[in-house]
Amino acid sequence: TDNSEVLPESIPSAPGTLPHFIEEPDDAYIIKSNPIALRCKARPAMQIFFKCNGEWVHQNEHVSEESLDERSGLKVREVFINVTRQQVEDFHGPEDYWCQCVAWSHLGTSKSRKASVRIAYLRKNFEQDPQGREVPIEGMIVLHCRPPEGVPAAEVEWLKNEEPIDSEQDENIDTRADHNLIIRQARLSDSGNYTCMAANIVAKRRSLSATVVVYVNGGWSSWTEWSACNVRCGRGWQKRSRTCTNPAPLNGGAFCEGMSVQKITCTSLCPVDGSWEVWSEWSVCSPECEHLRIRECTAPPPRNGGKFCEGLSQESENCTDGLCILDKKPLHEIKPQSIENASDIALYSGLGAAVVAVAVLVIGVTLYRRSQSDYGVDVIDSSALTGGFQTFNFKTVRQGNPLLLNSSMQPDLTVSRTYSGPICLQDPLDKELMTESSLFNPLSDIKVKVQSSFMVSLGVSERAEYRGKNHSGTFPHGNNRSFSTMHPRNKTPYIQNLSSLPTRTELRTTGVFGHLGGRLVMPNTGVSLLIPHGAIPEENSWEIYMSINQGEPSLQSDGSEVLLSPEVTCGPPDMTVTTPFALTIPHCADVSSEHWNIHLKKRTQQGKWEEVMSVEDESTSCYCLLDPFACHVLLDSFGTYALTGEPITDCAVKQLKVAVFGCMSCNSLDYNLRVYCVDNTPWAFQEVVSDERHQGGQLLEEPKLLHFKGNTFSLQISVLDIPPFLWRIKPFTACQEVPFSRVWCSNRQPLHCAFSLERYTPTTTQLSCKICIRQLKGHEQILQVQTSILESERETITFFAQEDSTFPAQTGPKAFKIPYSIRQRICATFDTPNAKGKDWQMLAQKNSINRNLSYFATQSSPSAVILNLWEARHQHDGDLDSLACALEEIGRTHTKLSNITEPQLDEADFNYSRQNGV
């Protein structure tokens, strides 16, 4: 009989009892391709058969054993069957695959419970990975984990620094709530790397590690006692201090807010020395021929520790002019007059010495001024108005000065010349180098606009003219800059830019590629070029180059259109490829089709720019895939390309990278802060880093991202929380404002604002302050500066990760993540149309390629082009897991993919990482 044969539901009745199941079949899971056995045992039982999914299992598939129960004497029968993976996969019903036993005895039949059979599996990717947290001490930490889908459901275990967490031993930790990890009160010891482990009977999976940092915000200590008044007499001050050590900031915690020193005024009573009253009248002459007079120390009396009057309080003398002699002796003596004569001599000598000293001083000052006037330079200190930049006005040089190179030349007095920037004359040689020709080189004319809110806008003319003569000369040491003079009629202001720095025209890299293809990377710029395998004919090789324009952009924006990426050139232009190559260009737009209309443009041989396509358009000539930070373009011709954007609404956002650099000024007490706002592309920031290295600048804080809206509101940059009594900023320069148009088109020149801080004493070596960068009615970012101005003590912050700078050119198989053999099998499988839709279109959809699929349909191997695009997107951050999951979802019924196993993909991933030094 076959499987559909209907077995009898009962056998003719006979004396006895109904069958009783001693063992019933249990639910089971098929692991990989191993079959499972279902068992059941009953007594008394003449026959036992399995029924699966409502159909009887063929009797030949049953294995039965018969025995006799010694206690009851009843017949016991045990039966088992095997269920394979193929049987379960072929079943298509409203419920899981199930089986049950039916046992017969002389009295009738009995049925066992239904046992379900399911295929066990565990996906590779977690539905939710735990995310890193920064929490204050004693705060609550909640790490969410949703394990991969699996049958049976995965059990979750948490690891901290690769060690299992036992919540039963630590009452502060709870891991029972829906696989989440909860730490009720964070401790410093809870900082570490946390990993979620999911496991079932098939496999184990590890989530991404989440770094938890428990930080401590700084707290003030108690105030010290007030110090004594700083003056002994009159009005002064006394102070008290406190330190940020209760507790001290830890693990990036905030520094204490408020003042570390307080001062109050105090008044000390001045000591008053006593002074004598006038003498009293003489007394009556006594029998001893003397009379007396007295005086008191009461005009005023001594107070507050003042000195008592010096001298006698009582005086007596002979009252008979010496005629009365007692005991034959004079009663008084006549005082000599020589003392008064000596006092007059000392007075006249002092006056003579003072006259001589004054005469010598006058002669010295006169000689010094004559020696200084030979230079023909008047220095006017106007730092209070120029925001920390010293301003020098140079007058006409005197004729015949031997210190100047060309003293006969007459200057053009119709043009004002002002140099704005830190200048230090460190020795007399510096003054000699300031020749006439250098003094009349074009210099920047800076305008200062003081607003009521204490903001200063510094501006330089956009189109500078100089109507005088240009002459070669030298400038003081350490000032390697070029300058321009503003035409009086041009009043357009904008913040100082880096135009004064040496310009570079392009950044370039090359590599030789053949039939095996490869990858060309521009280090630290985000620009790369992928040459697919077979794009270059066999036995041919080309030297392919790639460069970035670092000069003034040749693409001039029309209307509201802005440049969103660097201008990237790849070549040679006469080279042809048989398969589209992938060009990756970084951009700074916050991608949203509702707010931006983004275009790909190409420069023609005549130097004009023409639109290739809009990113949202359908095209068969090229393909654009826009990611959050880069655009991947499939092209078949080399040339110069760039991305432009046209904002559709005011909510269009450009991503700006803000960073602060610092360096010592030529004045040992000054420290310069330079705040940059550049497009959020690695190339733009690399240009800033290169310029800062030339100037000796040091990155003081990790750069941050600022979302700048196209709502026409300007940008404000301000310095906050400067430590009082340690540092001070030049007047009116604590806040600077940048016009909207200058920021919106900032890709043309890196935008920066400069701030000059001054120490009160050379012993101050630590600087702590905040830089606030915000758009009016927009986003705001805070840069926390906490550094040592001493280079030996300063902590170095890395500019770039070195992930793509080691191998700028990779050729052959090591340049690709997917091995060529596996790529061939995938293409052979998906290039063939499938009636169920499981072809290259499904492969594109599973890799988030949902638009402009008509482009791939025109290619000889659509799957190969899709895999090339996948390689370009996952150059740094991708492994083969995502591709493996896509193949697992859509390739189960493809026998051609059955030999592409997970270990093969893992081994390929490992080999790629090893070859590229990861």
Side-chain angles (χ1 to χ4, degrees), residues 17-268:
T17 62
L18 287 174
H20 171 69
F21 284 97
I22 303 173
E23 180 180 351
E24 295 185 88
D26 294 325
D27 294 339
Y29 298 96
I30 295 179
I31 301 175
K32 296 185 178 178
S33 298
N34 301 320
I36 55 99
L38 296 179
R39 296 176 178 271
C40 67
K41 184 188 295 186
R43 73 174 178 217
M46 297 176 58
Q47 290 292 340
I48 300 178
F49 287 97
F50 272 92
K51 199 175 192 179
C52 293
N53 303 318
E55 297 182 356
W56 295 103
V57 179
H58 197 281
Q59 62 182 1
N60 293 337
E61 298 179 12
H62 291 73
V63 177
S64 65
E65 296 179 359
E66 186 175 321
S67 62
L68 193 64
D69 190 350
E70 296 179 355
R71 296 177 58 186
S72 62
L74 298 177
K75 186 181 294 185
V76 177
R77 183 174 293 275
E78 181 179 5
V79 176
F80 68 88
I81 63 171
N82 289 329
V83 179
T84 65
R85 182 187 184 105
Q86 187 67 38
Q87 289 176 299
V88 177
E89 288 183 341
D90 289 341
F91 172 69
H92 302 283
E95 53 186 352
D96 293 333
Y97 190 97
W98 59 270
C99 294
Q100 71 175 167
C101 290
V102 180
W104 282 267
S105 70
H106 293 288
L107 190 61
T109 62
S110 296
K111 295 182 180 180
S112 70
R113 64 179 294 275
K114 289 183 179 180
S116 63
V117 180
R118 304 175 67 186
I119 298 176
Y121 68 93
L122 184 63
R123 303 286 188 199
K124 294 196 67 173
N125 293 331
F126 278 70
E127 294 185 6
Q128 182 177 6
D129 287 297
Q131 301 296 320
R133 294 283 188 274
E134 292 184 0
V135 296
I137 194 168
E138 297 185 355
M140 177 178 285
I141 303 174
V142 179
L143 297 181
H144 298 279
C145 175
R146 294 176 60 190
E149 178 188 348
V151 174
E155 302 263 337
V156 170
E157 179 186 21
W158 283 92
L159 303 180
K160 174 189 174 185
N161 298 331
E162 303 302 326
E163 294 293 332
I165 296 176
D166 189 356
S167 59
E168 295 182 358
Q169 295 183 358
D170 191 345
E171 297 179 353
N172 194 37
I173 298 178
D174 184 7
T175 58
R176 297 169 298 177
D178 196 21
H179 307 307
N180 298 329
L181 174 68
I182 300 175
I183 301 178
R184 297 182 180 89
Q185 287 188 326
R187 302 155 296 191
L188 289 176
S189 59
D190 292 325
S191 297
N193 295 320
Y194 289 81
T195 308
C196 183
M197 289 283 296
N200 65 2
I201 60 177
V202 180
K204 288 184 177 181
R205 304 291 187 223
R206 290 171 58 96
S207 71
L208 298 177
S209 293
T211 301
V212 173
V213 177
V214 180
Y215 62 86
V216 178
N217 291 325
W220 289 112
S221 65
S222 300
W223 289 102
T224 60
E225 296 294 331
W226 288 105
S227 65
C229 201
N230 68 321
V231 295
R232 292 184 61 252
C233 172
R235 186 179 180 85
W237 54 265
Q238 55 187 150
K239 67 178 182 179
R240 64 176 182 175
S241 61
R242 58 180 178 176
T243 57
C244 189
T245 56
N246 185 35
L250 191 63
N251 294 340
F255 197 77
C256 302
E257 295 184 357
M259 301 177 63
S260 60
V261 178
Q262 278 187 345
K263 286 187 177 182
I264 59 173
T265 59
C266 57
T267 303
S268 298

Side-chain angles (χ1 to χ4, degrees), residues 380-450:
I380 303 173
D381 186 5
S382 60
S383 60
L385 291 177
T386 58
F389 296 94
Q390 297 176 351
T391 304
F392 286 75
N393 291 334
F394 301 107
K395 294 183 179 180
T396 308
V397 195
R398 300 190 180 185
Q399 296 292 336
N401 190 337
L403 296 177
L404 300 179
L405 297 180
N406 187 3
S407 59
S408 61
M409 183 181 61
Q410 295 295 329
D412 184 359
L413 300 181
T414 62
V415 182
S416 63
R417 302 169 181 87
T418 302
Y419 169 71
S420 292
I423 292 220
C424 56
L425 302 177
Q426 299 175 350
D427 51 58
L429 180 61
D430 287 329
K431 296 181 179 180
E432 296 178 10
L433 290 176
M434 296 180 67
T435 62
E436 178 184 5
S437 55
S438 69
L439 299 182
F440 290 97
N441 278 339
L443 302 177
S444 302
D445 194 4
I446 304 296
K447 302 191 298 297
V448 180
K449 178 183 177 183
V450 181

Side-chain angles (χ1 to χ4, degrees), residues 719-737:
V719 182
L720 309 174
D721 297 347
I722 299 175
F725 310 111
L726 296 177
W727 293 85
R728 63 184 174 190
I729 190 169
K730 298 298 176 66
F732 309 114
T733 62
C735 182
Q736 301 186 23
E737 186 169 346

Side-chain angles (χ1 to χ4, degrees), residues 752-770:
H752 89 283
C753 294
F755 300 89
S756 181
L757 307 181
E758 182 181 1
R759 294 179 287 171
Y760 281 94
T761 62
T763 58
T764 301
T765 60
Q766 299 292 325
L767 173 60
S768 173
C769 65
K770 294 179 181 178

Side-chain angles (χ1 to χ4, degrees), residues 86 825 829 834 890-900:
Q86 187 67 38
R825 279 178 258 167
T829 300
N834 188 287
I890 63 178
R892 288 181 179 176
T893 59
H894 285 290
T895 57
K896 295 181 182 179
L897 295 179
S898 60
N899 56 349
I900 302 179

